[in-house]
Amino acid sequence: MKLLEVNPSKGEVKLRVEDEEDLWTLYTILRKGDLVRAKTVRSIAKGGSKEKIPMTLTIKVSDIEFQPFAQVLRIRGTVVEGPDRFGLKGSSHAIRAYPGKELTIIRENGSEDIVRKVKAASMKKPKVAVLSVDTDDYALAIVRGQGIEWVLEGSMQIPGKLDENREAIVKANVKELAKKVLEELNKRGIQNVVVVGPGFFKERVADELRAMGLNVKVDTVSSGDRVGVLEAIKKGSLGDVIKDLESVKALEVIEEAIKRIAKDRRDVCYGLEDCLNASVMGAIEKLVISDRLLHHENDEIREKAIQTIENAEKTRAEVIIVPRDTEAGERLRAFGDVVGLLRFEAF
């Protein structure tokens, strides 16, 4: 995310989206009621037909549509500024944000929070590929800040050891899998992949990927599917780089919260009301919250979620927002979409 201009007196921040991770950051920054100004295209009726005309519009945000790992973020709202000759004020419009898009966010109560989050997002964001594989299954995932993107999954369909064609089938399947992995990584500009799995089969796949020019690290986990990928993340197979990924940190916080709850400890909170109360006390050390609450259709729930985040950030808590459809987001649902680790016993 590139910070282009800041006008603190007007609460304006102009920025440029540079990649799809920035779309997730933008989604976590925007609030209902913010103003967003950008160049856009609007269909205008002319002589019985409609013509798409480029123009600059400012909308008051009412809804934001986000899909994890997508290339477009749709920001919907009501037009508050635009060319007078088209009479668009008060009408609905959606501004599309995508890599390369420039837009301005205007917030009534100041731009400091926006600037801070944009600056944090401007740092290079790592992406790590992990392939879990055995003679039965495989799963390829890209681990990034917003979560785990499941790219490929399937069966190796390798016959038993007594089949006389087994070796030929193994070679063909390994080569085909390696080709698929290379295509997916090339799309995303990734050259490094961690190959994990039980036994020695993973080594054959790793050798094939090396022969195709990829940098490969190998480690052992118990299975060759999604479970293997998650096990690799948990045990640290992906190296030091994953320590900086919020998606990994979120899973670690959730695991720790589960352990504390199982031991009936009182230095943990979950559910919006308890976490809000803990944030008021300045008790939260780490908070993981789903975007489901941050952009909830119920105004009261949404405002409580925002207040919980703001309170936690004021007391220097680590706050991680996760997409609802990711691994961390799905696990959060059992806890009311928010969980926190506390500095002291608060309940």
Side-chain angles (χ1 to χ4, degrees):
M1 190 97 74
K2 180 74 171 179
L3 194 63
L4 301 176
E5 293 178 25
V6 180
N7 189 333
S9 64
K10 294 184 178 180
E12 294 185 1
V13 179
K14 186 176 182 180
L15 54 86
R16 181 171 62 244
V17 176
E18 298 195 317
D19 59 31
E20 60 193 51
E21 281 289 294
D22 288 343
L23 294 175
W24 164 245
T25 302
L26 182 59
Y27 178 66
T28 66
I29 289 173
L30 286 171
R31 302 282 185 268
K32 184 177 179 180
D34 284 346
L35 301 183
V36 173
R37 180 185 301 129
K39 291 180 180 178
T40 184
V41 175
R42 177 79 179 209
S43 292
I44 302 295
K46 279 192 173 184
S49 62
K50 287 190 174 182
E51 181 181 347
K52 292 184 176 181
I53 298 177
M55 63 183 71
T56 297
L57 294 177
T58 303
I59 64 172
K60 186 173 184 179
V61 177
S62 60
D63 182 54
I64 310 157
E65 181 185 334
F66 173 80
Q67 292 292 330
F69 318 113
Q71 292 286 335
V72 176
L73 179 72
R74 289 178 175 83
I75 308 163
R76 296 188 176 92
T78 304
V79 177
V80 296
E81 290 180 3
D84 290 336
R85 67 184 183 278
F86 297 124
L88 297 176
K89 288 183 182 179
S91 64
S92 297
H93 187 76
I95 290 174
R96 298 169 70 252
Y98 44 82
K101 181 74 171 182
E102 294 184 3
L103 50 84
T104 299
I105 304 173
I106 306 150
R107 184 168 293 170
E108 244 181 51
N109 60 357
S111 58
E112 295 85 355
D113 183 55
I114 300 173
V115 171
R116 177 176 58 81
K117 291 180 178 179
V118 170
K119 285 182 176 179
S122 67
M123 295 185 294
K124 187 171 178 60
K125 298 168 285 292
K127 292 183 287 188
V128 185
V130 54
L131 172 67
S132 180
V133 62
D134 59 23
T135 53
D136 293 318
D137 304 298
Y138 64 86
L140 174 66
I142 309 300
V143 185
R144 58 181 78 191
Q146 61 179 280
I148 302 169
E149 180 185 7
W150 299 103
V151 178
L152 292 173
E153 290 182 87
S155 171
M156 292 301 294
Q157 297 182 335
I158 293 174
K161 292 182 180 179
L162 297 179
D163 191 308
E164 62 181 14
N165 297 316
R166 186 176 191 273
E167 183 58 27
I169 294 172
V170 167
K171 286 183 179 179
N173 286 7
V174 166
K175 188 175 288 293
E176 180 63 23
L177 175 59
K179 182 181 176 182
K180 289 179 181 177
V181 171
L182 181 65
E183 287 175 356
E184 293 296 337
L185 298 194
N186 283 344
K187 288 178 190 176
R188 295 163 174 82
I190 299 174
Q191 283 294 308
N192 302 297
V193 58
V194 180
V195 179
V196 299
F200 296 102
F201 187 74
K202 62 181 180 292
E203 301 285 355
R204 295 194 63 164
V205 178
D207 288 342
E208 189 68 31
L209 290 170
R210 289 191 186 100
M212 292 181 170
L214 291 175
N215 300 318
V216 183
K217 175 184 175 182
V218 179
D219 203 356
T220 300
V221 296
S222 61
S223 64
D225 51 17
R226 286 195 180 201
V227 173
V229 171
L230 297 175
E231 185 181 336
I233 293 170
K234 187 174 181 180
K235 71 177 287 192
S237 301
L238 280 63
D240 291 340
V241 68
I242 68 167
K243 294 178 181 178
D244 296 325
L245 292 174
E246 289 198 332
S247 57
V248 175
K249 293 178 183 178
L251 289 171
E252 290 174 349
V253 171
I254 293 169
E255 285 288 340
E256 177 61 24
I258 291 171
K259 291 177 184 177
R260 294 187 186 188
I261 292 168
K263 294 178 180 179
D264 202 26
R265 288 171 56 172
R266 301 173 63 191
D267 55 350
V268 60
C269 65
Y270 57 92
L272 187 54
E273 292 297 334
D274 278 356
C275 289
L276 176 58
N277 291 334
S279 75
V280 171
M281 292 185 280
I284 296 178
E285 181 179 17
K286 296 181 180 181
L287 182 77
V288 179
I289 185 167
S290 170
D291 72 303
R292 189 191 309 274
L293 297 180
L294 189 63
H295 293 282
H296 203 281
E297 62 273 10
N298 182 291
D299 289 347
E300 182 180 359
I301 292 175
R302 186 178 63 255
E303 289 304 319
K304 284 183 177 180
I306 292 171
Q307 191 62 57
T308 300
I309 291 171
E310 291 179 349
N311 290 344
E313 289 178 337
K314 286 176 183 176
T315 56
R316 299 186 181 279
E318 182 177 9
V319 176
I320 304 170
I321 302 168
V322 297
R324 69 196 74 180
D325 297 326
T326 58
E327 182 73 24
E330 291 289 347
R331 297 187 68 182
L332 269 186
R333 295 195 68 174
F335 302 97
D337 288 319
V338 57
V339 68
L341 304 181
L342 307 184
R343 297 185 173 102
F344 51 84
E345 292 188 353
F347 299 103

